[in-house]
Amino acid sequence: MDNVRETSAWVASRSSHVLVDAAGIEKVVSTIESIPKVEWDFEGIHYFDNGPLTVQYLLVLDALNFCFWPDKDLNYDDLASGLKAALQNDKSAFDADRLQKYTGPQLRELLRWPRPLPLEDERVRLLHEVGIELERNFEGKASNLVECCGKSAMNLVALVARHFPGFRDHTVYKGRQVFLYKRAQIFAADLWGAFRGHGYGEFEDIGSLTIMADYIVPAVLRQLGVLKFSPTLASTIEARGEIGPGTEEEVELRACSVHAVEKMRELISVKSGRQVLSVELDLWLWASGVQSASLQHHRTLSIYY
């Protein structure tokens, strides 16, 4: 994940719309006695059977884990719990051959959602992509994909990005390619959290993962005073205006969040004398954000988050 860290730092050093505030980081870290431990399934919304079907569920979940905000009633919990219920009702629902055939209305029925999903055609396309590639290279099983990574989260992210184009979360900023890989990283993080670091979730380099740059974490970091936004960007967000994918503002929001949390992690590690994982910080920040009714986040139509 060095590419994610290095290119995010590069963006942060040239950012004109988002500022990583070193004083804000020090202030926040000074108030943290320890990072609150947030259980991976603290809401009880995920499928888990301690076996390969859970891995299949998580890959499908993370293939679809993006862009809920256009439907004010839809959120991640609806996706996770809807897929859980579908799998409990029919254990073959996520078989590779079936993933290749879902239509928009069928996906809605699977999730028990009463109207078209945001970016529904893209969600269906990505389901098909997962099914096709699992069948072509992994005998239809996401667990075989995970077993190929040699207990390395970094290898798993690379494998996912190599085999599934829909997970290739990178862009170009001021002439340089920037890597973020939110959904590929969250697949590794979800496995680690679900299996509690054992079995399919055992990764010897879990510390290699960064945060998963989405639209919740930047807003939480702004609330904490870690990120500062330009007046123009702040007014766009507060007016619920859309920010185009790949624009300087959008890339800076995500990359500066990654860089800021890396700086927080380093400072907390120095202060506490122990290694702090970015995935732990990510879950803590995200859980804080989704429970804040007043949180104002940016709005970008994207398949990556």
Side-chain angles (χ1 to χ4, degrees):
M1 293 298 96
D2 288 345
N3 277 342
V4 177
R5 288 183 171 85
E6 289 169 7
T7 58
S8 292
W10 191 88
V11 171
S13 70
R14 290 158 178 79
S15 177
S16 51
H17 305 281
V18 181
L19 172 72
V20 178
D21 191 321
I25 290 173
E26 290 186 15
K27 184 176 179 181
V28 170
V29 170
S30 71
T31 66
I32 297 173
E33 292 300 322
S34 63
I35 299 302
K37 287 288 184 185
V38 180
E39 289 294 324
W40 172 77
D41 193 29
F42 68 96
E43 295 172 297
I45 56 174
H46 297 96
Y47 179 86
F48 184 73
D49 68 353
N50 202 35
L53 200 53
T54 296
V55 183
Q56 198 88 354
Y57 163 82
L58 290 175
L59 184 60
V60 171
L61 171 67
D62 291 325
L64 300 175
N65 181 7
F66 59 86
C67 204
F68 303 103
W69 62 264
D71 187 326
K72 64 182 178 60
D73 298 319
L74 180 68
N75 58 44
Y76 171 79
D77 291 10
D78 297 306
L79 177 66
S81 60
L83 294 176
K84 174 184 178 180
L87 199 52
Q88 287 174 328
N89 183 56
D90 179 359
K91 291 293 194 287
S92 68
F94 302 151
D95 284 1
D97 60 333
R98 292 186 61 183
L99 291 176
Q100 299 172 45
K101 298 171 184 172
Y102 280 113
T103 64
Q106 287 171 334
L107 177 57
R108 270 178 258 154
E109 185 180 350
L110 201 68
L111 297 174
R112 299 177 186 173
W113 198 250
R115 54 187 172 272
L117 297 156
L119 299 179
E120 183 171 278
D121 289 347
E122 285 294 275
R123 287 184 151 92
V124 169
R125 180 181 69 81
L126 294 172
L127 269 186
H128 294 176
E129 177 182 281
V130 167
I132 290 166
E133 193 60 21
L134 284 179
E135 186 171 75
R136 178 188 294 146
N137 285 296
F138 301 102
E139 298 178 350
K141 298 183 184 301
S143 55
N144 290 339
L145 166 70
V146 175
E147 287 172 353
C148 289
C149 78
K151 298 183 180 179
S152 167
M154 192 159 49
N155 286 350
L156 181 59
V157 171
L159 273 171
V160 169
R162 182 185 311 152
H163 286 281
F164 305 97
F167 282 84
R168 293 175 192 165
D169 180 9
H170 48 78
T171 187
V172 175
Y173 175 84
K174 295 184 178 179
R176 180 166 177 177
Q177 197 157 21
V178 176
F179 302 91
L180 294 159
Y181 292 138
K182 183 256 183 180
R183 290 194 289 106
Q185 289 201 77
I186 209 168
F187 177 51
D190 280 345
L191 287 165
W192 178 73
F195 289 92
R196 297 175 179 266
H198 299 288
Y200 292 112
E202 183 180 356
F203 300 111
E204 295 168 355
D205 60 351
I206 192 66
S208 67
L209 298 182
T210 69
I211 65 153
M212 300 20 148
D214 62 0
Y215 49 87
I216 300 296
V217 172
V220 175
L221 292 174
R222 184 191 182 199
Q223 277 190 340
L224 292 172
V226 168
L227 294 183
K228 295 193 182 304
F229 298 168
S230 70
T232 304
L233 176 58
S235 64
T236 299
I237 291 171
E238 285 155 17
R240 297 173 178 257
E242 282 190 33
I243 296 170
T247 58
E248 287 190 5
E249 293 89 340
E250 191 252 354
V251 177
E252 289 176 13
L253 282 161
R254 302 184 71 204
C256 288
S257 295
V258 171
H259 183 63
V261 175
E262 286 301 301
K263 291 300 176 186
M264 285 176 64
R265 180 186 61 78
E266 291 168 6
L267 199 54
I268 294 167
S269 295
V270 169
K271 179 185 173 187
S272 65
R274 71 173 188 87
Q275 183 191 28
V276 177
L277 300 174
S278 295
V279 289
E280 294 175 313
L281 286 169
D282 181 83
L283 186 54
W284 169 55
L285 291 165
W286 183 83
S288 301
V290 295
Q291 294 174 62
S292 172
S294 61
L295 192 75
Q296 291 183 304
H297 62 75
H298 73 281
R299 288 166 165 75
T300 296
L301 284 170
S302 172
I303 67 167
Y304 296 122
Y305 65 101

